Amino acid sequence: MMASKLSNALVSPSKVANILDWRKAMGVVMGLDITRERIGVALAEHPDLRGSCATPGPESFPLDSISLRQDRNGALCKKSQVNEDLVSELEAVVKQHRVCAFVVNWPIQEGRTGEQCGKVLQVLDAVIDKSNCVVTSKRPFALWCNYANASNDSSPPDEWGRSTCYTQLRDYTPGMSYSSKSAIRRESSANASMVAANVLHDWVENHWAMGNFYHEKKGFFL
């Protein structure tokens, strides 16, 4: 079960969109992509400030990613902890750009919430524990996963927005076993901040370009 501070700060993606609607003149949403070693950071302003959603050009832009375990002096912290520089850098970006909420990449692999999803929650919980100026109940976060990127299956969702491919059993092979480690995210060489920017782009596109109903159906949130 998630810690109370973490669960109190978790909202649906549509709630984050509503917050940005309310704060569009003076606020942005921050996208985060949390990997084993770094946190990718990106920002997105309200699409109305860029004109039509159909206007060419990115709705989000990446910033420099931040190391999870190594501070500016090269000192390493424990795997279960985050370094102080990471928290202070996040605080600085939040203050400078007037961040009003977060959209966090939820790295489902083949429909499974594996070890990397646990890493996301662990890091967010550690950041909340160290600072009351980043993620809070008044500056909440949403988990976002595009099913198209989480699975190669192209089948349409059911009436509740659930992918039908996840109800199917895998082919049995002798000695087959499953653990959360078998659903570890396949991290590519792509910059984590570019991934965060793409997550924000997908979230913006689904909410404003395609409408609230489709947004809730295509995206995934807890």
Side-chain angles (χ1 to χ4, degrees):
M1 181 178 294
M2 287 185 290
S4 58
K5 287 185 179 180
L6 184 64
S7 59
N8 287 340
L10 174 63
V11 298
S12 70
S14 60
K15 175 64 175 179
V16 173
N18 290 338
I19 292 172
L20 187 57
D21 275 334
W22 183 258
R23 298 279 303 277
K24 67 180 179 181
M26 54 184 298
V28 301
V29 169
M30 178 184 288
L32 298 176
D33 178 51
I34 300 173
T35 69
R36 295 186 188 90
E37 301 295 333
R38 306 191 69 80
I39 293 184
V41 182
L43 299 173
E45 60 186 0
H46 196 284
D48 282 357
L49 301 180
R50 303 184 62 85
S52 169
C53 284
T55 301
E59 293 88 0
S60 58
F61 57 93
L63 304 179
D64 291 336
S65 62
I66 308 172
S67 175
L68 265 178
R69 300 187 56 219
Q70 192 172 41
D71 64 21
R72 297 188 187 96
N73 298 320
L76 295 175
C77 64
K78 296 179 180 179
K79 286 186 178 182
S80 59
Q81 299 176 347
V82 296
N83 72 73
E84 298 292 342
D85 287 343
L86 179 146
V87 176
S88 62
E89 287 186 48
L90 287 176
E91 289 177 340
V93 175
V94 166
K95 182 178 180 179
Q96 178 183 352
H97 296 279
R98 297 180 177 179
V99 173
C100 59
F102 299 83
V103 174
V104 181
N105 187 27
W106 188 236
I108 287 178
Q109 292 296 314
E110 299 179 352
R112 297 176 178 179
T113 54
E115 181 180 320
Q116 193 60 30
C117 288
K119 179 68 173 180
V120 169
L121 298 179
Q122 180 262 316
V123 170
L124 289 172
D125 190 37
V127 170
I128 291 174
D129 188 55
K130 287 180 176 291
S131 173
N132 59 3
C133 300
V134 184
V135 178
T136 67
S137 59
K138 294 183 178 180
R139 191 183 293 110
F141 75 97
L143 301 172
W144 181 259
C145 174
N146 185 344
Y147 278 130
N149 294 332
S151 171
N152 294 326
D153 182 83
S154 58
S155 60
D158 65 13
E159 61 180 317
W160 300 103
R162 300 170 298 192
S163 176
T164 55
C165 73
Y166 302 146
T167 65
Q168 301 171 6
L169 295 176
R170 283 189 163 189
D171 294 335
Y172 175 80
T173 56
M176 183 176 70
S177 62
Y178 170 77
S179 73
S180 63
K181 294 184 181 298
S182 65
I184 292 175
R185 173 183 174 184
R186 298 181 183 89
E187 294 181 10
S188 67
S189 58
N191 183 281
S193 289
M194 287 301 300
V195 175
N198 289 336
V199 167
L200 277 181
H201 173 86
D202 182 70
W203 170 74
V204 168
E205 181 183 64
N206 276 272
H207 185 82
W208 280 277
M210 301 178 185
N212 257 347
F213 177 75
Y214 185 68
H215 159 67
E216 296 288 6
K217 282 212 159 194
K218 185 180 178 187
F220 174 86
F221 60 89
L222 294 183

